[in-house]
Amino acid sequence: MSNMDSLNKQKIKDFFLKKSKVFCMLPWIHLHTTPYGTAAPCCIAESCNETTGVGNSRTQSLIELVNSDKMKQLRLDMLGSKENKECVKCYQHDKQNIQSSRVATIDEYKEYFDEVLPNTNPDGSLKEFKMRYYDIRFSNICNFKCRTCGSGFSSQWEQEDLKSKVSWARPIPKNDNPNFLEEVKNQISNLKTAYFAGGEPLITEEHYVLLEEMIRKKSTKVILRYNTNLSNLKFKDKDLLSLWKQFEHPINVYASIDHYGERAEYIRHGTNWAQIEENLLIVKKQPFIDFRMNTVLSIFNFCTIGNFYQYLLDKNLYTNKDRVYTLYNMSGPEYLTAHVLPEKFKMIGKNSLESAISLLEKNHFNSWHLGQLKDALPWALLLNTWNEQKDFFRNEVLRLDKLRGESFEKVFPEYAELLDF
């Protein structure tokens, strides 16, 4: 290759990895499926919200999904610097100067960029698919009914919907095609990262099948990453900590914790806070676990986020030596986002966020820790959707309170007037 060819190749690479507003590595190295088999470019792509997606793993092979018409068009759009509706959430975050999944995955998987162009046919299909990032959801099995979730990702929600006979209730078909599982197992040697989420991954059968297959194949260099409610560290005859010890990289555990005490138990129904806190402390002190929390910023915790961070510090659950605990700016369901809050509550939330920032600063947390909180404020203030969402908010909160024997007003007294605002 001539020097000129090398320079041109580097310019092209720099453009896609550093300057492009639409390029993402995932359509070349990844495929996501929901617990009911709907396939999508990633877990936040718009196809996740459609019944057809880019195809379905219950009836199609892995390579058929990877080279589906929608996936081919997505790749062509990215290479042609054209926006695609699949990626709306990342575009929104980019415009708010919040690090998007698109930007984060470019950084994490840029080592595979040299495979992108040579492996792409003129129609956008791939000549060969090597899964570098795993995120396949095989089941919606879950022991929680989180308010910010739904039946698609929780078997407990599914049963509640069916029992209460709401208009949208339906049995969720399971992503249980044995041939598809075998295809995924055959990709283990290609993996850099395996991300397990749910449902609840720590009580999902296929999670343990894949974990033990990695160990059997000596593919223990795979980076394991979890989004879990951390309610269980054992499953049947499996001891999770013993399995994790056999992997070469620290296990990335993101515990989904949105608050503490009765607020945690309300937001994520099924939570026994005392048990969760005990598990948090066990996992946090393991030398082979890279632990952090993943908090969903929603209407439930926006106005008391400062109290939550104070609790974490008081209990030594967060220190300035820890990795950054993520704060996810939830965009749906819309009626539970921080966008919904009327102006006076947004100002309360603003003060609470600022108190959390001051608290971390006082305790010598660094700019990376503070960034998560600082990014949240412009996101929360971006939209004002109370008038459009208030009726649905009230109806859903009260409907679930009745079904679950809970009281929004009791657990969140600061929000009581929202029910008749």
Side-chain angles (χ1 to χ4, degrees):
M1 181 183 292
S2 69
N3 287 339
M4 186 62 69
D5 288 338
S6 296
L7 285 172
N8 287 336
K9 187 176 180 182
Q10 188 60 46
K11 280 185 178 179
I12 292 169
K13 185 173 183 177
D14 286 345
F15 171 77
F16 283 115
L17 296 183
K18 299 176 182 178
K19 297 178 182 178
S20 173
K21 302 298 183 184
V22 300
F23 180 77
C24 178
M25 285 295 302
L26 291 185
W28 281 267
I29 63 169
H30 170 65
L31 183 84
H32 171 71
T33 69
T34 68
Y36 34 101
T38 301
C42 74
C43 67
I44 60 171
E46 292 302 294
S47 277
C48 293
N49 303 317
E50 302 170 359
T51 54
T52 55
V54 304
N56 197 292
S57 61
R58 289 183 289 116
T59 57
Q60 294 173 272
S61 70
L62 180 60
I63 196 62
E64 285 175 331
L65 297 173
V66 165
N67 283 334
S68 65
D69 288 343
K70 286 184 178 180
M71 290 296 294
K72 289 189 290 186
Q73 188 60 52
L74 178 59
R75 293 188 196 101
L76 293 177
D77 286 346
M78 287 184 175
L79 295 178
S81 296
K82 181 181 176 182
E83 290 190 357
N84 186 293
K85 68 175 185 176
E86 289 286 359
C87 309
V88 167
K89 291 184 176 66
C90 280
Y91 302 151
Q92 288 175 339
H93 282 162
D94 286 339
K95 287 171 185 174
Q96 287 297 307
N97 293 317
I98 297 170
Q99 187 186 53
S100 64
S101 293
R102 182 186 73 82
V103 172
T105 52
I106 284 175
D107 185 58
E108 186 168 2
Y109 298 101
K110 60 189 175 186
E111 67 199 86
Y112 302 112
F113 179 80
D114 290 342
E115 300 174 6
V116 167
L117 298 181
N119 195 30
T120 308
N121 291 313
D123 67 349
S125 63
L126 298 184
K127 297 171 185 175
E128 181 184 13
F129 177 59
K130 291 183 179 180
M131 184 183 287
R132 305 299 188 181
Y133 171 48
Y134 163 93
D135 179 12
I136 304 291
R137 318 285 175 96
F138 283 101
S139 173
N140 71 339
I141 187 167
C142 188
N143 52 342
F144 282 12
K145 292 183 287 190
C146 302
R147 291 270 178 158
T148 54
C149 190
S151 58
F153 296 93
S154 167
S155 53
Q156 293 289 318
W157 259 96
E158 177 187 0
Q159 292 306 309
E160 181 178 77
D161 282 353
L162 291 170
K163 187 175 180 181
S164 61
K165 298 181 180 179
V166 290
S167 60
W168 57 85
R170 61 186 176 90
I172 304 295
K174 302 303 183 282
N175 186 15
D176 56 1
N177 180 348
N179 294 330
F180 189 75
L181 176 58
E182 286 302 312
E183 289 179 288
V184 172
K185 285 167 66 176
N186 290 335
Q187 289 283 340
I188 282 175
S189 60
N190 295 323
L191 294 178
K192 176 181 180 180
T193 310
Y195 173 58
F196 293 101
E200 170 48 43
L202 303 189
I203 59 171
T204 301
E205 292 276 0
E206 289 84 358
H207 159 249
Y208 293 94
V209 169
L210 290 170
L211 220 58
E212 291 181 330
E213 184 71 359
M214 290 174 193
I215 294 169
R216 187 186 73 80
K217 288 184 172 178
K218 303 190 187 310
S219 293
T220 52
K221 288 185 178 180
V222 177
I223 298 167
L224 302 181
R225 188 173 295 157
Y226 290 84
N227 194 310
T228 169
N229 61 39
L230 211 62
S231 58
N232 293 274
L233 296 178
K234 295 183 186 294
F235 176 73
K236 298 184 178 178
D237 62 339
K238 317 293 184 187
D239 182 272
L240 190 57
L241 297 182
S242 297
L243 290 170
W244 281 348
K245 281 180 182 177
Q246 299 181 59
F247 285 79
E248 298 180 32
H249 294 286
I251 311 302
N252 299 156
V253 175
Y254 293 80
S256 297
I257 309 292
D258 300 333
H259 227 303
Y260 64 91
E262 66 175 354
R263 292 179 182 237
E265 293 175 348
Y266 182 97
I267 298 168
R268 297 184 179 272
H269 182 96
T271 296
N272 176 328
W273 179 250
Q275 182 63 62
I276 295 294
E277 188 170 295
E278 180 181 332
N279 288 349
L280 289 172
L281 292 169
I282 289 171
V283 166
K284 193 172 186 297
K285 68 183 181 183
Q286 302 303 318
F288 55 88
I289 293 177
D290 183 357
F291 173 81
R292 65 198 88 175
M293 287 187 192
N294 180 38
T295 298
V296 174
L297 186 70
S298 72
I299 194 171
F300 295 116
N301 56 12
F302 182 58
C303 286
T304 54
I305 197 73
N307 297 346
F308 175 59
Y309 277 86
Q310 182 69 64
Y311 183 90
L312 296 181
L313 267 64
D314 290 345
K315 292 285 186 173
N316 205 36
L317 286 168
Y318 198 20
T319 74
N320 58 22
K321 300 284 194 297
D322 289 328
R323 297 287 292 272
V324 175
Y325 286 9
T326 59
L327 188 64
Y328 179 70
N329 297 292
M330 187 184 79
S331 57
E334 178 60 33
Y335 78 97
L336 293 179
T337 68
H339 297 153
V340 163
L341 286 166
E343 185 65 22
K344 84 168 195 177
F345 291 100
K346 283 191 174 166
M347 292 305 100
I348 294 171
K350 176 179 181 290
N351 292 336
S352 190
L353 264 174
E354 289 172 346
S355 73
I357 292 167
S358 296
L359 175 68
L360 296 192
E361 287 176 334
K362 186 171 67 176
N363 284 275
H364 310 295
F365 284 74
N366 64 38
S367 59
W368 293 103
H369 295 107
L370 296 169
Q372 292 286 314
L373 289 162
K374 289 180 177 179
D375 286 346
L377 187 55
W379 172 259
L381 300 180
L382 177 64
L383 299 172
N384 296 290
T385 59
W386 175 248
N387 287 333
E388 301 96 80
Q389 297 292 330
K390 61 184 178 182
D391 291 337
F392 192 69
F393 167 79
R394 291 167 180 158
N395 291 338
E396 275 301 285
V397 164
L398 293 174
R399 181 183 75 85
L400 292 176
D401 276 1
K402 184 176 180 180
L403 282 173
R404 299 176 184 182
E406 296 173 337
S407 171
F408 177 78
E409 294 175 275
K410 180 185 174 203
V411 179
F412 304 95
E414 69 275 18
Y415 286 148
E417 66 183 87
L418 289 180
L419 295 182
D420 56 10
F421 191 82

